[in-house]
Structures are given as structure tokens and as C-alpha cells.
């Protein structure tokens, strides 16, 4: 910066000249200051723009990543490969994809906040939109924590400020599991003069006499294993972490003895399911079992028999019973369905075919309603990588039938049959005529040819739903019920013995039926174990069914 001219060296200058020189110098300094300010502002603006451009580039990259993840999620959930995945595998894949999507969305939100913070004009700064509030489950206990200011003294000196309102926010908390020992004390009383005997209350009944666990603890262990798929060895580790070191073998002993005590309830439920309606769903899934003699596992099976008449508004409550059998042979189906007459909804497994023959053992010939979802999956699995117009057309025709089904779900059986006769039958007739034409020009040895003939050879079973409003188009309900035992199998790997497989089946039956009736499994099992301990099993076993428990719970509320 230049120094001002020293006018003291020119004492003879007129005052007006001195004033002019001073004014000129001030104007020059002001201009220089404004230029420096403008230069600094321009540099700051350039830095902000560069920062925003970097943020925007990062944001664009994250958006591309998010779009790719969403496409992967859609392909995993709705694409052809999802039909080939085990439901448990699909859930695990979707879980990880949903986690990745949530992480990317959080990073995008953080970058958007940085962009807003770097905006030059404060008026244009956009606040981040709050996440949509989710309703917490009703019935949870609420603990209020009031956060007061450090001081409510008014700055004006008039005294304390007056409360005019409040803000409330809710967060979900968890109290870790706490184990406790219940000490039962039974005082003894006697006559002080020795004229009478001793009085003492009877000891409370326990499900497992002479053992530590309460009925509540047994219910927790059973639900953790058979509903939340936590094997006993992992539960033992968790209990040790909470200060209760109980060996896995002890837990297994408790579950084995408990499983034997609930067997009559499951057996009675089996009878009620087979006698309470004219249509059942039947399916089977593998249950690996350890074969000690060979040191390997053998393949056992859990056969599921499910009743659910809600699709046509039937009065019978839903229920499912799992039967463990060491094999998949058709005689197992004979035994399990002994005494049932009516229709079974199944896949096209050959082990059910003989049940429809006149010489069927255990009752009249059964009607076999085949599952359209299985036929659809066969077509999807046969579709070449390059695509197939035949498969696409077949799926579109099947989708039209499912749209009709969605509209009549829950309607009276007679109305369902009428609508199917009017709307679905013409579509089914055209579908199989078209399918036959496509099969004639497709090699039987190809995957597509096999898929087409799979449905053509079984079209009587695929058509059965048209003539009976009680029947559904598919057996998806029983497949959904089988998912829970399948997840248990995935986590526990195998049952240690055939009796272990039967134990699995009993607990899976009770818990699966609880879920169908919107009953909390832990509460049901806890109360069931208490009822069995007090002898209710011999008084009224039908009152111990999960659907009876559901009705009693609703009545008491």
C-alpha cells in the first residue's frame, strides 16, 4: 500500500489544495479496499462452487450406486431366479440388499446436508426432511424421561418462566434378559397345644417335576429354538453370557421331556384338522437326521397337513400339523391322511397319486387339486437365458387367472365357483388348448417341452378349482407354513435322532398354528405348559388348542 504524500514539505500550499490531495488519497484507498474485498469474495465463491461440485459429483455416484442396488433387489425378489431359491435363502439375500440400500441412502442424505450447508444464500438452505414416523406397537410399557433446562429463571428478572408446552419424541429401548430364581416357601402350621395335625399348602404343580425350569423358561427355550431358529447350543452360550451357565445337554433334556408331554395335544389337533373340513393342504420338506450307525445324516421328512378355510370364509379355525417320517414314500401319506375324505391341495409329487384310486386305504378316494404355482415355476425354470415368448405368454395367461382369484378371496364358496365358471373356465380352456399347440412344436426332451407336458398331463388336477369353491389355485399356504421348520433345519443342520425329528414336528405344529391364529407363541406355550402341569389335559383337551386359546384371549380382553 502506498504512503500518503507528506504535505508538510510544502508549507506554502493553499488549504484547499491540501484538502483536495487528502480527499484524492482517501478515495484511492477506498477503491483499493473494495477491490481486495471483491477479490476475496470471488475467491470464496469459487471455493464454495468447487466444493459443491465435488459434493454433487459424489452425490451422483451414490445415486448410481443406489439405483444399481434397487435393481438388484428387484431382480432378487421378483426375477426368475427368485423362483429357484429356497425361501430362507431368498430372505437372507433380501436382508443384505436392504441393509446395503439403507446404508447408501444414509450416505446420500449426509452429502445432501453438506450441499445445503455450503449454499451461498442462507435463505436457500433446505432443511433435511424428517423420516416418516413409524407407529410403535401398542401395549408396550412407556417410561417418561423429562429433560429440563439448566435454569428456568427469566432473564428479565420477573421470576421463573411458565411452562407453555412440550415436545415429545419416542424411541424403542430394550432391557436385556434377566434370569431370576423363584423360591417357593410353604410354611407349616400346627396347633400350639398339640391337639391337631400340621397344616401346609400343597406344592405348586410343575411341568417338569424335580427340575429347575419354570413353565415360562421352557416356553422361552422352545420358542427361541423352533420359532426364532436358535439351536440349543447357541442358547446355552447366551444364557452363560447372562450369568446362567447351563449346558446344552441339560436344555436338550428339558425340551425332550416337554415334547413328550405335549404329544397328546398335537395328536388331538391332528384329529380335529382331519375331521373339521373337506379340504386340506399337504406338503413335505426334508429333515436331515443323524444316523449314528454310519456317522452321517440320513434324510427324514416333515409332512405338513394344513387347514385354512379363510379363503372361502369357512368357520373352521386354521391349523397345521407336522408329521415326522423317515422317508417320502407314499405309504406315509396313507398313514397321515387316514380317516380323511375330501380334497387335498398338493404339488404333483407321485407319492399322492395312489390316494385318488378306488383301492385307497384309510378312506374314500381323495380328489387331488394341483398347484398352479408349481406349474408356473416349472415354466420359469425352463425359460432359456435368451428368453422365450412361449413362457412369457404362459405366465401372462396364468397371471390373468390369479387376478380373478384375488378379487374373490374370502368370498362364499358358492360365489367363488360361480365366478370361476363364468370368468376363469374360458381362460383355462384356452390356456390348455394353447399349451397343447405349443407342446406339439416343442421337443419333449427340452426343458421347455418337459414343463409344458408337466401341466398338460395333469390338467384334471389343475382344473379342479373351477368346480369347487372351497379349493384354491395353489398350495402356497402350506409352503409358507413349512418355511419355519426349514429355517430351523438350516440353523440346527440336522436332528440328532428320529425322536428328535418327532420333537421338532410337535413344537412346529403348535407354533405354526399359533401364527395362523395370530397368537403369540410364547404366551400360548407358557400357559399350555401350566395347564398340562395342573392336569387340564385330562379335563378338556380341546380347550388347549391354539385357536381355542385365541378365542379365550379375545373374550378376556
Amino acid at each position: 500500500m502506498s504512503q500518503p504524500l507528506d504535505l508538510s514539505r510544502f508549507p506554502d500550499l493553499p488549504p484547499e489544495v491540501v484538502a483536495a490531495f487528502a480527499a484524492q488519497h482517501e478515495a484511492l484507498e477506498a477503491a483499493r479496499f473494495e477491490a481486495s474485498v471483491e477479490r476475496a469474495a470471488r475467491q470464496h465463491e469459487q471455493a464454495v462452487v468447487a466444493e459443491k461440485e465435488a459434493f454433487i459429483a459424489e452425490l451422483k455416484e451414490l445415486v448410481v450406486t443406489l439405483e444399481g442396488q434397487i435393481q438388484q433387489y428387484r431382480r432378487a425378489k421378483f426375477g426368475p431366479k427368485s423362483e429357484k431359491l429356497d425361501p430362507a435363502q431368498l430372505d437372507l439375500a433380501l436382508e443384505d440388499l436392504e441393509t446395503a440400500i439403507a446404508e447408501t441412502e444414509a450416505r446420500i442424505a449426509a452429502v445432501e446436508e453438506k450441499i445445503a450447508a455450503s449454499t451461498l444464500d442462507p435463505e436457500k438452505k433446505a432443511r433435511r426432511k424428517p423420516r416418516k414416523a413409524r407407529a410403535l406397537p401398542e401395549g408396550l410399557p412407556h417410561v417418561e424421561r423429562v429433560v429440563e433446562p439448566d435454569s428456568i429463571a427469566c432473564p428479565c428478572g420477573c421470576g421463573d418462566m411458565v411452562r407453555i408446552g412440550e415436545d415429545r419424541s419416542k424411541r424403542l429401548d430394550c432391557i436385556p434378559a434377566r434370569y431370576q430364581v423363584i423360591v417357593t416357601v410353604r410354611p407349616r402350621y400346627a396347633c400350639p397345644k398339640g391337639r391337631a395335625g400340621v397344616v401346609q399348602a400343597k406344592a405348586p404343580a410343575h411341568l417338569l417335576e424335580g427340575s429347575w425350569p419354570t413353565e415360562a423358561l421352557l416356553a422361552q427355550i422352545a420358542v427361541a429354538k423352533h420359532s426364532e431358529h436358535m439351536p440349543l447350543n447357541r442358547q446355552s452360550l447366551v444364557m452363560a453370557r447372562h450369568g446362567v451357565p447351563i449346558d446344552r445337554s441339560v436344555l436338550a433334556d428339558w425340551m425332550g421331556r416337554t415334547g413328550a408331554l405335549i404329544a397328546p395335544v398335537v395328536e388331538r389337533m391332528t384329529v380335529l384338522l382331519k375331521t373339521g373340513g373337506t379340504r386340506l393342504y399337504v406338503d413335505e420338506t426334508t429333515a436331515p437326521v443323524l444316523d449314528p450307525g454310519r456317522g452321517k445324516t440320513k434324510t427324514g421328512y416333515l409332512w405338513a397337513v394344513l387347514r385354512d378355510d379363510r379363503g372361502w370364509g369357512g368357520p373352521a379355525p386354521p391349523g397345521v400339523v407336522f408329521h415326522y417320517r423317515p422317508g417320502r414314500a407314499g405309504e406315509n401319506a396313507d398313514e397321515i391322511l387316514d380317516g380323511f375324505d375330501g380334497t387335498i391341495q398338493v404339488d404333483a409329487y407321485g407319492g399322492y397319486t395312489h390316494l385318488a384310486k378306488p383301492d385307497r386305504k384309510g378312506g374314500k378316494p381323495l380328489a387331488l387339486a394341483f398347484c398352479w404355482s408349481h406349474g408356473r415355476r416349472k415354466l420359469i425354470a425352463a425359460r432359456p437365458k435368451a428368453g422365450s415368448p412361449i413362457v412369457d405368454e404362459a405366465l401372462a395367461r396364468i397371471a390373468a387367472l390369479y387376478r380373478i382369484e384375488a378379487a374373490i378371496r374370502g368370498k362364499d364358496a358358492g360365489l367363488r365357483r360361480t365366478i370361476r365358471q363364468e370368468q376363469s373356465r374360458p381362460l383355462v380352456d384356452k390356456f390348455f388348448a394353447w399349451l397343447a399347440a405349443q407342446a406339439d412344436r416343442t421337443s419333449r426332451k427340452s426343458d421347455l417341452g418337459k414343463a409344458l407336458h408337466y401341466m398338460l398331463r395333469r390338467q384334471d388336477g389343475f382344473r379342479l378349482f373351477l368346480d369347487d369353491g372351497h379349493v384354491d389355485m395353489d398350495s402356497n399356504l402350506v409352503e409358507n407354513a413349512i418355511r419355519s421348520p426349514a429355517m430351523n433345519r438350516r440353523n440346527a443342520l440336522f436332528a440328532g435322532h428320529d425322536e428328535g425329528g418327532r420333537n421338532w414336528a410337535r413344537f412346529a405344529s403348535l407354533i405354526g398354528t399359533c401364527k395362523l391364529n395370530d397368537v403369540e407363541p410364547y404366551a400360548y406355550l407358557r400357559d399350555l405348559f401350566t395347564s398340562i402341569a395342573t392336569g387340564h389335559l385330562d379335563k378338556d383337551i380341546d380347550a388347549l388348542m391354539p385357536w381355542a386359546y385365541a378365542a379365550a384371549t379375545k373374550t378376556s380382553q
Side-chain angles (χ1 to χ4, degrees):
M1 180 179 294
S2 61
Q3 296 294 325
L5 181 64
D6 185 6
L7 296 181
S8 62
R9 293 184 299 166
F10 307 98
D12 297 332
L13 288 176
E16 58 272 16
V17 173
V18 173
F21 271 110
Q24 184 180 11
H25 178 74
E26 289 179 2
L28 181 61
E29 290 299 320
R32 287 175 177 171
F33 177 75
E34 289 179 3
S36 64
V37 170
E38 289 179 0
R39 183 167 55 253
R42 188 165 53 253
Q43 291 174 347
H44 175 69
E45 182 178 351
Q46 290 173 349
V48 170
V49 170
E51 184 183 38
K52 287 185 65 177
E53 288 177 348
F55 286 150
I56 292 172
E58 182 181 0
L59 183 62
K60 288 180 178 179
E61 183 178 348
L62 288 171
V63 168
V64 171
T65 301
L66 179 62
E67 289 174 347
Q69 291 171 341
I70 292 175
Q71 289 177 358
Q72 291 176 352
Y73 179 85
R74 289 174 177 169
R75 282 196 298 268
K77 187 172 184 179
F78 305 111
K81 290 185 178 180
S82 67
E83 296 285 350
K84 302 178 183 179
L85 287 176
D86 179 271
Q89 291 177 320
L90 179 60
D91 287 343
L92 291 174
L94 295 180
E95 175 184 311
D96 289 338
L97 281 170
E98 288 164 349
T99 301
I101 289 172
E103 179 182 345
T104 305
E105 288 177 338
R107 292 174 62 190
I108 289 175
V111 174
E112 287 176 339
E113 288 184 353
K114 291 179 182 179
I115 293 175
S118 66
T119 301
L120 294 176
D121 187 354
E123 298 298 328
K124 295 181 180 180
K125 290 184 179 180
R127 290 187 176 182
R128 180 183 176 184
K129 293 182 180 180
R131 293 174 68 96
K132 185 178 179 180
R134 297 180 180 179
L136 289 168
E138 297 182 3
L140 290 178
H142 285 57
V143 178
E144 287 196 1
R145 180 179 62 181
V146 181
V147 182
E148 295 281 4
D150 293 336
S151 174
I152 59 172
C154 185
C156 77
C158 66
D160 289 343
M161 291 184 172
V162 179
R163 183 170 179 170
I164 60 172
E166 65 184 14
D167 290 331
R168 284 179 172 259
S169 61
K170 296 182 178 181
R171 300 175 68 197
L172 187 62
D173 191 23
C174 172
I175 300 175
R178 186 189 71 177
Y179 292 88
Q180 61 185 10
V181 177
I182 296 179
V183 180
T184 301
V185 180
R186 296 186 296 127
R188 292 190 297 272
Y189 297 90
C191 175
K193 298 182 179 180
R195 298 173 181 174
V198 176
V199 175
Q200 185 180 33
K202 291 183 178 180
H206 299 153
L207 185 66
L208 301 184
E209 294 292 347
S211 294
W212 287 342
T214 63
E215 289 67 37
L217 179 57
L218 291 171
Q220 172 59 34
I221 296 170
V223 169
K225 178 178 180 179
H226 297 282
S227 182
E228 296 159 4
H229 322 299
M230 184 181 290
L232 296 181
N233 64 318
R234 297 183 193 171
Q235 292 193 54
S236 177
L237 294 174
V238 173
M239 295 176 76
R241 181 165 59 85
H242 288 291
V244 187
I246 297 181
D247 192 75
R248 173 201 51 76
S249 61
V250 175
L251 300 181
D253 175 73
W254 294 351
M255 286 295 96
R257 293 159 62 191
T258 303
L261 293 171
I262 64 174
V265 178
V266 179
E267 291 169 2
R268 178 59 180 167
M269 190 160 62
T270 301
V271 174
L272 294 176
L273 288 184
K274 290 195 293 185
T275 59
T278 60
R279 188 275 310 262
L280 293 174
Y281 300 86
V282 184
D283 201 359
E284 73 288 332
T285 186
T286 57
V289 176
L290 186 64
D291 188 354
R294 298 190 305 150
K296 299 180 180 179
T297 58
K298 60 183 180 180
T299 302
Y301 284 85
L302 286 176
W303 295 68
V305 177
L306 181 140
R307 179 184 69 193
D308 193 339
D309 295 339
R310 291 175 292 183
W312 56 273
V320 61
V321 172
F322 292 90
H323 304 259
Y324 172 78
R325 293 295 183 274
R328 198 188 183 198
E331 57 262 24
N332 293 305
D334 283 338
E335 179 189 351
I336 291 168
L337 294 171
D338 182 57
F340 173 73
D341 296 325
T343 302
I344 56 172
Q345 298 217 224
V346 294
D347 55 28
Y349 168 52
Y352 302 114
T353 305
H354 68 285
L355 297 175
K357 295 181 179 180
D359 60 349
R360 178 214 168 192
K361 300 177 182 178
K364 299 177 182 179
L366 298 179
L368 306 184
F370 290 147
C371 175
W372 280 78
S373 285
H374 276 77
R376 181 178 179 274
R377 289 173 202 154
K378 293 281 187 182
L379 293 167
I380 291 174
R383 178 163 48 189
K385 291 183 179 180
S388 170
I390 295 177
V391 174
D392 294 341
E393 176 66 17
L395 296 181
R397 290 172 181 261
I398 294 174
L401 292 171
Y402 270 103
R403 284 194 290 272
I404 298 173
E405 289 301 301
I408 62 175
R409 186 168 292 114
K411 304 295 184 181
D412 175 76
L415 177 61
R416 280 157 60 96
R417 182 184 183 281
T418 300
I419 293 176
R420 285 170 175 172
Q421 291 290 322
E422 295 175 355
Q423 301 181 24
S424 300
R425 180 175 289 280
L427 298 181
V428 172
D429 291 340
K430 292 179 181 179
F431 173 76
F432 280 107
W434 173 84
L435 207 66
Q438 305 309 312
D440 288 341
R441 61 190 189 91
T442 304
S443 171
R444 279 178 172 265
K445 296 182 179 180
S446 67
D447 291 339
L448 181 55
K450 293 177 182 177
L452 298 175
H453 285 283
Y454 171 86
M455 298 194 72
L456 283 172
R457 289 196 305 270
R458 300 168 174 83
Q459 62 176 294
D460 288 344
F462 284 112
R463 288 176 176 273
L464 190 61
F465 81 102
L466 298 171
D467 299 315
D468 190 344
H470 303 92
V471 175
D472 288 334
M473 271 187 69
D474 55 47
S475 55
N476 287 349
L477 288 174
V478 70
E479 289 187 7
N480 291 339
I482 278 179
R483 288 186 180 184
S484 184
M487 283 294 291
N488 196 44
R489 175 188 65 207
R490 176 175 299 277
N491 285 274
L493 300 182
F494 52 81
H497 189 270
D498 284 337
E499 187 57 43
R502 285 185 278 273
N503 190 282
W504 276 16
R506 294 185 194 114
F507 282 107
S509 300
L510 295 177
I511 291 173
T513 303
C514 281
K515 293 178 179 178
L516 288 173
N517 289 275
D518 296 325
V519 171
E520 205 286 300
Y522 165 77
Y524 167 76
L525 290 180
R526 178 198 60 203
D527 293 349
L528 173 66
F529 296 163
T530 302
S531 297
I532 293 176
T534 56
H536 196 92
L537 192 66
D538 298 326
K539 298 175 183 177
D540 184 5
I541 191 172
D542 288 358
L544 301 181
M545 300 299 117
W547 52 75
Y549 182 85
T553 302
K554 290 179 181 179
T555 302
S556 62
Q557 289 177 348

